[in-house]
Amino acid sequence: MAAFLLLRRQVGGALPRLQQPYARLSTAAARQDTLDAGCTGSKEDRGNKNRWRELPPFAPLDITAAARAILRGKGGEAEETSSSTAIRWVRRCCPDLPASLVQKLFRLRKVKKNALTAETSSTDASAEQFQLKRVSAKDYLLPGDTLFLPVNIQESSVAEKTRKFDNRNEIDFLRSLEIYKDKAIIVINKPPGMPVQGGVGIKNSIDVLAPMFEENSSEAPRLVHRLDRDCSGVLVLGRTQLSASILHAIFREKTADALADLHGYSCTYLDTEIFHVKGTQQVLQRKYVALVIGTPRHSKGLLSAPLAKVLLQDGKSERLTVKAGPNTTSVQDALTEYRVIESCPQGFTWLELFPLTGRKHQLRVHCAEVLGTPIVGDYKYGRQAHQNWSPLPAPQAIEEELLKKRRLPFGLVLGGGSVVEEQPQLHLHCKQMVLPDISAAVQGLQSEDADRDFSDLEKLSFVAPLPQHMRLSWEVLKSVNK
């Protein structure tokens, strides 16, 4: 823990002293009585009817340093950690509580902080008395500080969430998407057509429906990366604030390492043989499968093409485009490695795509504008290529099951959208993702081991099968090739 958490010995022994009153209590009820009896302030605060929820002791964590060590498989050196205000710590520990409710609790002075006073007993022995004091939203916390909230606030919040998601069919459907689950993460196979984030006109999205993935938990899973609405495949959610923060930082560090590895190359296409990828790219890997219109000039390569937003003619919509030059503003460098899986005589090509950076619409823009092969079903970046679209005939040998359409919860439809349709769906799927074992990493960060070595972290590989419309397209193109 020396690399990331402020060690207990660094706070002058204060933290062990804070924990001693709890160590002497044999049951949770006894500890609660001590909190109620020792609470200072109004009569209401001191009453036994007012129960308290104890948050974890404040222990600032350098998330970026932790992510770096996990990616590189090393331990870390002690680094100065950042402080936090009381309201930020409450939001981090209680992401299930609405921000407006948290602010209201501070305004009503319902948030308390631990305090210790020294008293002299009848035998002149020094004794410690545990007390609670009011804390304001902007008060800075010290390592070991513990905050307390009225427990009835948490109970009502959980009850409201339970009432909101009571459709058993919808819950069962969402949980059927799970590929993997442990204490730190949930991995799902996102179906095409389901938004990851909410927005104008979007009622159901993964971030809104995330509580459905949990059973009897007050903490909802959090997004750590994105997939486009019409894209499908592996999507990872963090089950805790700490695991989500570490994953955010890992994805961010992966992008930074890939750009540092570029060594000043500015050309659009690079042969992968001359581009040396750091070890961090091997620890975190994403593989997409796409069906594109046309065939790339090279069978494999690395695309280095910066992306920038441009406003469309209607003055409201925007899209991304490849843009470079000294006068370009708000440009983000983007790197994509690709490999041809199979070329089809009908003018289609199956590609494997490996994004080394995580930019919005990166794969779609690189395929359309750099390779000149837009993804099938991408009407935003490949509209012109779809103007003369002609659906392929469905061979008689195709499985009948692949041709069926079925309605799913949340307005989704299973089936349709293949190359035999007049209007195909987006053929882009996150097939595989490799991540370090975040659960083990979190356990290591929370342990007492000051010399934690992350080199022994297991790599977890998650694979999502192709959606039905892409499987049908694969079978159709394969049968025509015979």
Side-chain angles (χ1 to χ4, degrees), residues 226-456:
R226 308 287 184 267
L227 289 179
D228 294 341
R229 178 174 185 161
D230 294 323
C231 182
S232 57
V234 178
L235 183 71
V236 180
L237 299 93
R239 296 188 69 185
T240 67
Q241 176 65 39
L242 181 56
S243 63
S245 298
I246 290 175
L247 281 165
H248 271 299
I250 285 176
F251 278 93
R252 193 168 56 244
E253 286 297 303
K254 176 181 185 291
T255 292
D257 281 350
L259 296 177
D261 259 359
L262 194 56
H263 296 311
Y265 289 116
S266 58
C267 52
T268 299
Y269 169 84
L270 290 172
D271 192 322
T272 53
E273 298 300 327
I274 65 172
F275 184 80
H276 303 286
V277 181
K278 279 185 179 179
T280 58
Q281 303 298 331
Q282 306 304 318
V283 174
L284 174 59
Q285 301 174 54
R286 284 180 291 174
K287 179 171 73 174
Y288 287 73
V289 173
L291 179 64
V292 299
I293 302 173
T295 303
R297 292 174 55 195
H298 304 276
S299 61
K300 64 178 180 178
L302 183 94
L303 309 176
S304 170
L307 306 179
K309 289 182 180 180
V310 294
L311 199 62
L312 300 184
Q313 292 180 349
D314 60 9
K316 299 178 181 179
S317 306
E318 61 181 25
R319 55 169 283 170
L320 294 169
T321 186
V322 173
K323 217 165 192 181
N327 299 324
T328 306
T329 58
S330 302
V331 172
Q332 290 184 315
D333 291 320
L335 300 172
T336 301
E337 188 175 350
Y338 76 92
R339 183 180 71 85
V340 171
I341 301 175
E342 185 174 353
S343 295
C344 310
Q346 300 82 7
F348 299 101
T349 303
W350 289 100
L351 296 180
E352 281 184 340
L353 302 168
F354 306 88
L356 303 184
T357 53
R359 310 303 191 193
K360 180 180 178 180
H361 295 177
Q362 171 181 323
L363 300 181
R364 295 165 63 183
V365 178
H366 277 182
C367 284
E369 297 191 15
V370 181
L371 290 179
T373 56
I375 298 174
V376 171
D378 189 352
Y379 305 102
K380 188 180 187 74
Y381 298 103
R383 179 172 298 276
Q384 187 173 359
H386 286 82
Q387 287 181 349
N388 299 320
W389 174 264
S390 296
L392 297 179
Q396 295 181 348
I398 293 296
E399 290 181 41
E400 186 178 345
E401 194 66 29
L402 290 176
L403 298 172
K404 290 182 179 179
K405 296 183 181 180
R406 183 163 55 93
R407 292 200 171 275
L408 301 173
F410 308 112
L412 300 175
V413 177
L414 178 66
S418 71
V419 291
V420 303
E421 303 280 346
E422 290 285 349
Q423 191 169 358
Q425 295 183 34
L426 184 70
H427 281 55
L428 179 62
H429 176 75
C430 185
K431 174 73 173 177
Q432 182 181 23
M433 184 178 297
V434 178
L435 281 175
D437 188 342
I438 300 299
S439 181
V442 169
Q443 185 177 355
L445 290 172
Q446 294 175 334
S447 72
E448 299 293 330
D449 187 358
D451 300 317
R452 175 65 183 174
D453 183 7
F454 294 106
S455 60
D456 59 348

Side-chain angles (χ1 to χ4, degrees), residues 38 118 318 461 473:
E318 61 181 25
S461 177
S473 293

